[in-house]
Amino acid sequence: MISEDVILRVKELNNIVDVISETVRLKKSGKYYTGLCPFHNEKTPSFTVTQDRQIYKCFGCGEAGNVITFVMKTKNLTYIDAIKNLAERANIVIDYNESSITDNSEKLYRINRDAARYFYYNLRKDKIAMNYLLKRGLAPNIINKFGLGYALNSWDALLKFLKSKGYTELDMLSAGLILKNNNNGYYDRFRNRIIFPVFDYRGKVIGFGGRVMDNSNPKYLNSPETSIFKKGTNLYGINYAIQDNKEKIFIIVEGYMDCISLHQHGINMAVASLGTALTTNQAKLLKRYADKVVIAYDADSAGEKATLRGLDVLKEEGFDVRVISIPEGKDPDDYIKNKGKDGFWHLVEGALELEDYKIQKATKGLNLNSANDVAKYADLTVDIIKDLQPVEKDIYINKLSQQTGIQNQALYDLMNNKLQKDGNNEEKVNRDSFFGDKYYLEPVYVKCERALIKMIINREDMEEHINKTLKEEYFISDKRRELYKFVCENLELNEEEITGLIESKFMDYETIEEWIKIREIKVMDKDCDNKILLDDYVKELKRLKLDQSKKEIMEKIKNYEAQGKLRESIELAQQLFNIQKQLDGMQ
């Protein structure tokens, strides 16, 4: 067995686009990437990679899978060897033994959890620390929700506590909770600070941030990077922001307090980038859960620079990117305290589109009454809009012409010169257009079996009807029959949890490929009677099964007649009659 946690971490730290790009030249097209399939010869791209779902599929030959199966197939590796290969690529330390494969992260999760609990209880016993947070406007329920704590004003309080729990100094060093001094002694990293536990998207503690309660420096102190805490792959508050995010939107702020304050006021889709420029990995994480991002950084110069660095990263991942300009030099925490949820949400609704924000920034320091500055402004603006879709380009060109008095054609000429220099005249690939030649044609029963398994996963209020209607013996494919049984045995789990179990239990390429194809199909329709749909799929499977039996019996009758075995032939003829009668009844 392979630990589900190992598989999850291997997939998290090996983005499928990056891994496949080492073998296949991919081109971005909206939320997808396309390229020539590595599994069959083709001239027109049929191979797509879906980043938010971390899967690939070829519309030409039918191959499908995830990052692990891609490495298995392209490098001719076993499942376990593919896990090892990807673990090494991501610098994940794995413990190999005969019965299982685990990494060293589990102990780090445990020690961080115990440290977080220790800090949590400290805060509730220290009036000064608690009053500091209350005076900052945080309510007790939000303090509890985010698990805020307090590190005692002591050199070794946490060290002693964790030793009493059985952890060694090496464990604490690995987690970044203690430091080593010049005399080979050890002391706590966090002392006399408010503690902000940092959770990953699953709600596991992966690190900490500590803030002083006075004006001393450094104001904030964060855990160092560990094998489970990578600052460029996580965002503060992500574990709460992904819950019930029906709007499919994230609001990104800079710091802990900004994020917590927004949540307290009912803006529950807020996350914090912790003051650093957004990375591609953070953007990829967000893309799993949303399509739109609103940046709400502080209205100081440092905030604006951080905003600009992160915008293109988000745009490249296919987000609808908007930017809030916080007025009056305030940060989101100050603004929402003064204006409330409605006032802040008004800013969100009026957030500038990415290009408008960039154009606004391009005017800084330029005098549009100066011919020289007007030319500079036009050049900067054209550079910003040149890669937009044709209709968007036309809109911005018209706006720019009205602002500057420069003729539209002159602006188009300027843009075309820039595009020629960039070599950016390739035709865009549209995923919805026809992909190459389809070399495979799947039998009807394949679609039926996949659809039925998907309906079991998304059964909603149909469980009783499914149990009455669908039987294991109706499945023609052994592989899908096995998956059907496995899903039925784990109906208390959701789709993601079942996926984790399948990937740790089944280590062959075909099963995982089949499961990915099952997950990808859409069968439930709110405008249709799904019970009738299920009945139709079952009826089709029964018919196909009978057709299969009919062909087998006809072949046997033919052989018996050739051998002169008339009695056996007559017995089979009666079976054939009964099968035909059933088939006629299905018309």
Coordinates of all heavy atoms in Angstrom, one line a residue, residues 321-368:
V321 N -9.2 38.6 -13.5 CA -8.5 39.3 -12.5 C -9.0 40.8 -12.3 O -9.1 41.5 -13.3 CB -7.0 39.4 -12.8 CG1 -6.2 40.0 -11.6 CG2 -6.4 38.0 -13.0
R322 N -9.3 41.1 -11.1 CA -9.8 42.5 -10.8 C -8.9 43.1 -9.6 O -8.3 42.3 -8.9 CB -11.2 42.5 -10.3 CG -12.2 41.9 -11.3 CD -12.3 42.6 -12.6 NE -13.1 41.9 -13.6 CZ -14.3 42.2 -13.9 NH1 -14.9 43.3 -13.4 NH2 -15.0 41.6 -14.9
V323 N -8.8 44.4 -9.6 CA -8.0 45.0 -8.6 C -8.8 46.1 -7.8 O -9.4 47.0 -8.5 CB -6.7 45.6 -9.2 CG1 -5.8 46.2 -8.1 CG2 -6.0 44.6 -10.0
I324 N -8.7 46.1 -6.5 CA -9.4 47.1 -5.7 C -8.3 48.1 -5.3 O -7.2 47.8 -5.0 CB -9.9 46.5 -4.4 CG1 -11.1 45.7 -4.6 CG2 -10.2 47.6 -3.4 CD1 -11.6 44.9 -3.4
S325 N -8.7 49.4 -5.5 CA -7.8 50.5 -5.0 C -8.4 50.9 -3.6 O -9.4 51.6 -3.6 CB -7.7 51.6 -6.0 OG -7.1 51.2 -7.1
I326 N -7.7 50.6 -2.5 CA -8.2 51.0 -1.2 C -8.0 52.5 -1.1 O -6.8 52.9 -1.1 CB -7.4 50.2 -0.1 CG1 -7.5 48.7 -0.3 CG2 -8.0 50.6 1.3 CD1 -8.8 48.1 0.0
P327 N -9.0 53.2 -0.8 CA -8.9 54.7 -0.7 C -8.3 55.2 0.6 O -8.2 54.4 1.5 CB -10.3 55.2 -0.9 CG -11.2 54.1 -0.4 CD -10.4 52.8 -0.7
E328 N -7.9 56.4 0.6 CA -7.4 57.1 1.8 C -6.2 56.4 2.5 O -6.0 56.5 3.7 CB -8.6 57.2 2.8 CG -9.8 57.8 2.3 CD -11.0 57.5 3.1 OE1 -10.9 57.1 4.3 OE2 -12.2 57.7 2.6
G329 N -5.4 55.7 1.7 CA -4.2 55.1 2.2 C -4.4 54.0 3.2 O -3.5 53.7 4.0
K330 N -5.6 53.4 3.3 CA -5.9 52.5 4.3 C -5.6 51.1 3.8 O -5.4 50.8 2.6 CB -7.4 52.5 4.7 CG -7.7 53.8 5.4 CD -9.2 53.8 5.9 CE -9.6 55.1 6.6 NZ -8.8 55.3 7.8
D331 N -5.5 50.1 4.8 CA -5.4 48.7 4.4 C -6.8 48.1 4.5 O -7.8 48.7 5.1 CB -4.4 48.0 5.2 CG -4.7 48.0 6.7 OD1 -5.9 48.1 7.1 OD2 -3.7 47.9 7.5
P332 N -7.1 46.9 4.0 CA -8.4 46.3 4.1 C -9.0 46.1 5.5 O -10.2 46.3 5.7 CB -8.2 44.9 3.4 CG -7.0 45.1 2.5 CD -6.1 46.0 3.2
D333 N -8.1 45.8 6.5 CA -8.5 45.7 7.9 C -9.1 47.1 8.3 O -10.2 47.1 8.9 CB -7.3 45.3 8.7 CG -7.7 45.2 10.2 OD1 -8.8 44.9 10.5 OD2 -6.8 45.3 11.0
D334 N -8.4 48.2 8.1 CA -8.9 49.5 8.5 C -10.2 49.8 7.8 O -11.2 50.3 8.4 CB -7.9 50.6 8.2 CG -6.6 50.4 9.0 OD1 -6.7 50.0 10.2 OD2 -5.5 50.8 8.5
Y335 N -10.2 49.6 6.5 CA -11.4 50.0 5.7 C -12.7 49.3 6.1 O -13.7 49.9 6.2 CB -11.1 49.8 4.2 CG -12.1 50.5 3.3 CD1 -11.9 51.8 3.0 CD2 -13.2 49.8 2.8 CE1 -12.9 52.5 2.2 CE2 -14.1 50.4 2.0 CZ -14.0 51.8 1.7 OH -14.9 52.4 0.9
I336 N -12.6 48.0 6.3 CA -13.8 47.2 6.6 C -14.3 47.5 8.0 O -15.5 47.5 8.3 CB -13.6 45.7 6.4 CG1 -15.0 45.0 6.2 CG2 -12.8 45.1 7.5 CD1 -14.9 43.6 5.6
K337 N -13.4 47.9 8.9 CA -13.8 48.3 10.2 C -14.6 49.6 10.2 O -15.5 49.8 10.9 CB -12.6 48.4 11.2 CG -12.0 47.1 11.6 CD -10.7 47.3 12.4 CE -10.1 46.0 12.9 NZ -8.8 46.2 13.5
N338 N -14.2 50.5 9.3 CA -14.8 51.8 9.2 C -16.1 51.8 8.4 O -17.1 52.4 8.7 CB -13.8 52.8 8.6 CG -12.7 53.2 9.6 OD1 -12.9 53.2 10.8 ND2 -11.5 53.4 9.0
K339 N -16.1 51.0 7.3 CA -17.2 51.0 6.3 C -18.1 49.8 6.4 O -19.1 49.8 5.7 CB -16.6 51.2 4.9 CG -15.7 52.4 4.7 CD -16.5 53.7 4.8 CE -15.6 54.9 4.4 NZ -16.3 56.2 4.5
G340 N -17.6 48.8 7.1 CA -18.4 47.6 7.2 C -18.4 46.7 5.9 O -17.7 47.0 4.9
K341 N -19.1 45.6 6.0 CA -19.2 44.6 4.9 C -19.7 45.3 3.6 O -19.1 45.1 2.5 CB -20.0 43.4 5.2 CG -20.1 42.4 4.1 CD -21.0 41.2 4.5 CE -21.1 40.2 3.4 NZ -22.0 39.0 3.7
D342 N -20.8 46.0 3.7 CA -21.4 46.6 2.5 C -20.4 47.6 1.8 O -20.3 47.6 0.6 CB -22.7 47.3 2.8 CG -23.8 46.3 3.2 OD1 -23.7 45.1 2.9 OD2 -24.8 46.8 3.9
G343 N -19.7 48.4 2.6 CA -18.8 49.4 2.1 C -17.6 48.7 1.4 O -17.2 49.1 0.3
F344 N -17.1 47.6 2.0 CA -16.0 46.9 1.3 C -16.5 46.2 0.1 O -15.8 46.2 -1.0 CB -15.4 45.9 2.3 CG -14.1 45.3 1.8 CD1 -12.9 45.9 2.0 CD2 -14.2 44.1 1.1 CE1 -11.8 45.3 1.5 CE2 -13.0 43.5 0.6 CZ -11.8 44.2 0.8
W345 N -17.7 45.6 0.1 CA -18.2 44.9 -1.0 C -18.5 45.8 -2.2 O -18.4 45.4 -3.4 CB -19.5 44.1 -0.7 CG -19.8 43.0 -1.7 CD1 -20.8 43.1 -2.7 CD2 -19.1 41.8 -1.9 NE1 -20.7 42.0 -3.5 CE2 -19.7 41.2 -3.0 CE3 -18.0 41.2 -1.3 CZ2 -19.2 40.0 -3.5 CZ3 -17.5 40.0 -1.8 CH2 -18.1 39.4 -2.9
H346 N -18.8 47.1 -1.9 CA -18.9 48.1 -2.9 C -17.6 48.3 -3.7 O -17.6 48.4 -4.9 CB -19.4 49.4 -2.3 CG -19.6 50.5 -3.3 ND1 -20.7 50.5 -4.2 CD2 -18.9 51.6 -3.5 CE1 -20.6 51.6 -4.9 NE2 -19.5 52.3 -4.6
L347 N -16.5 48.2 -2.9 CA -15.2 48.3 -3.6 C -15.0 47.1 -4.5 O -14.4 47.2 -5.6 CB -14.1 48.3 -2.5 CG -13.9 49.6 -1.7 CD1 -12.7 49.4 -0.8 CD2 -13.7 50.8 -2.6
V348 N -15.4 45.9 -4.0 CA -15.2 44.7 -4.8 C -16.0 44.8 -6.1 O -15.5 44.4 -7.2 CB -15.7 43.4 -4.0 CG1 -15.7 42.2 -4.8 CG2 -14.8 43.2 -2.7
E349 N -17.2 45.2 -6.0 CA -18.0 45.3 -7.2 C -17.5 46.4 -8.2 O -17.7 46.3 -9.4 CB -19.5 45.7 -6.8 CG -20.2 44.5 -6.1 CD -21.6 44.9 -5.6 OE1 -21.8 46.1 -5.4 OE2 -22.4 44.0 -5.4
G350 N -16.8 47.4 -7.7 CA -16.2 48.4 -8.5 C -14.7 48.2 -8.9 O -14.1 49.1 -9.4
A351 N -14.2 47.0 -8.6 CA -12.8 46.7 -8.8 C -12.5 46.8 -10.3 O -13.3 46.4 -11.2 CB -12.5 45.3 -8.3
L352 N -11.3 47.3 -10.6 CA -10.9 47.5 -12.0 C -10.5 46.2 -12.7 O -9.9 45.3 -12.0 CB -9.7 48.4 -12.1 CG -10.0 49.9 -11.7 CD1 -8.7 50.7 -11.7 CD2 -11.0 50.6 -12.7
E353 N -10.8 46.0 -13.9 CA -10.3 44.9 -14.7 C -8.7 45.0 -14.8 O -8.2 46.1 -14.7 CB -10.9 44.8 -16.0 CG -12.3 44.3 -16.0 CD -12.9 44.0 -17.4 OE1 -12.1 43.6 -18.3 OE2 -14.1 44.2 -17.6
L354 N -8.1 43.9 -15.0 CA -6.6 43.9 -15.0 C -6.0 45.0 -15.9 O -5.2 45.8 -15.5 CB -6.1 42.5 -15.4 CG -4.6 42.4 -15.6 CD1 -3.8 42.8 -14.5 CD2 -4.3 40.9 -16.0
E355 N -6.5 45.0 -17.2 CA -6.0 45.9 -18.1 C -6.2 47.4 -17.8 O -5.4 48.2 -17.9 CB -6.5 45.6 -19.5 CG -6.0 44.4 -20.2 CD -6.6 43.1 -19.6 OE1 -7.7 43.1 -19.0 OE2 -5.9 42.0 -19.6
D356 N -7.4 47.6 -17.2 CA -7.7 49.0 -16.8 C -6.8 49.4 -15.6 O -6.4 50.6 -15.6 CB -9.2 49.1 -16.4 CG -10.2 49.0 -17.5 OD1 -9.9 49.7 -18.6 OD2 -11.2 48.4 -17.5
Y357 N -6.6 48.5 -14.7 CA -5.7 48.9 -13.6 C -4.3 49.2 -14.1 O -3.6 50.1 -13.7 CB -5.6 47.7 -12.6 CG -4.7 47.9 -11.5 CD1 -5.1 48.7 -10.4 CD2 -3.4 47.3 -11.4 CE1 -4.2 48.9 -9.3 CE2 -2.6 47.5 -10.4 CZ -3.0 48.3 -9.3 OH -2.2 48.5 -8.2
K358 N -3.8 48.3 -15.0 CA -2.4 48.6 -15.6 C -2.4 49.9 -16.3 O -1.4 50.6 -16.2 CB -2.0 47.4 -16.5 CG -1.7 46.1 -15.8 CD -1.2 45.1 -16.8 CE -0.6 43.9 -16.1 NZ -0.1 42.9 -17.1
I359 N -3.4 50.2 -17.1 CA -3.5 51.4 -17.9 C -3.5 52.6 -16.9 O -2.8 53.6 -17.1 CB -4.7 51.4 -18.8 CG1 -4.4 50.4 -19.9 CG2 -4.9 52.8 -19.4 CD1 -5.7 50.1 -20.8
Q360 N -4.3 52.5 -15.8 CA -4.3 53.6 -14.8 C -2.9 53.8 -14.3 O -2.5 55.0 -14.1 CB -5.3 53.2 -13.7 CG -5.5 54.3 -12.7 CD -6.4 53.8 -11.6 OE1 -5.9 53.1 -10.6 NE2 -7.7 54.1 -11.7
K361 N -2.2 52.7 -14.0 CA -0.9 52.9 -13.4 C 0.1 53.5 -14.5 O 1.1 54.2 -14.1 CB -0.3 51.6 -13.0 CG -1.1 51.0 -11.8 CD -1.1 51.9 -10.6 CE -2.1 51.6 -9.6 NZ -2.4 52.6 -8.6
A362 N -0.2 53.2 -15.8 CA 0.7 53.8 -16.8 C 0.6 55.3 -16.9 O 1.6 55.9 -17.4 CB 0.3 53.1 -18.2
T363 N -0.5 55.9 -16.4 CA -0.6 57.4 -16.5 C 0.2 58.1 -15.4 O 0.3 59.3 -15.4 CB -2.1 57.8 -16.4 OG1 -2.6 57.4 -15.1 CG2 -2.9 57.1 -17.5
K364 N 0.6 57.3 -14.4 CA 1.3 58.0 -13.2 C 2.5 58.7 -13.7 O 3.4 58.1 -14.4 CB 1.7 56.9 -12.2 CG 0.6 56.7 -11.2 CD 1.2 56.0 -9.9 CE 0.2 56.0 -8.8 NZ 0.8 55.4 -7.6
G365 N 2.6 60.0 -13.4 CA 3.8 60.7 -13.7 C 3.8 61.3 -15.1 O 4.7 62.0 -15.6
L366 N 2.7 61.0 -15.9 CA 2.6 61.4 -17.3 C 1.6 62.6 -17.4 O 0.6 62.6 -16.8 CB 2.2 60.3 -18.2 CG 3.2 59.2 -18.4 CD1 2.6 58.1 -19.4 CD2 4.6 59.6 -18.9
N367 N 2.0 63.6 -18.2 CA 1.1 64.7 -18.4 C 0.5 64.6 -19.8 O 1.2 64.7 -20.8 CB 1.9 66.0 -18.3 CG 1.1 67.2 -18.6 OD1 -0.1 67.2 -18.7 ND2 1.8 68.4 -18.8
L368 N -0.8 64.3 -19.9 CA -1.5 64.1 -21.2 C -1.7 65.4 -22.0 O -2.3 65.3 -23.1 CB -2.8 63.3 -21.0 CG -2.7 61.9 -20.4 CD1 -4.0 61.2 -20.4 CD2 -1.6 61.1 -21.2

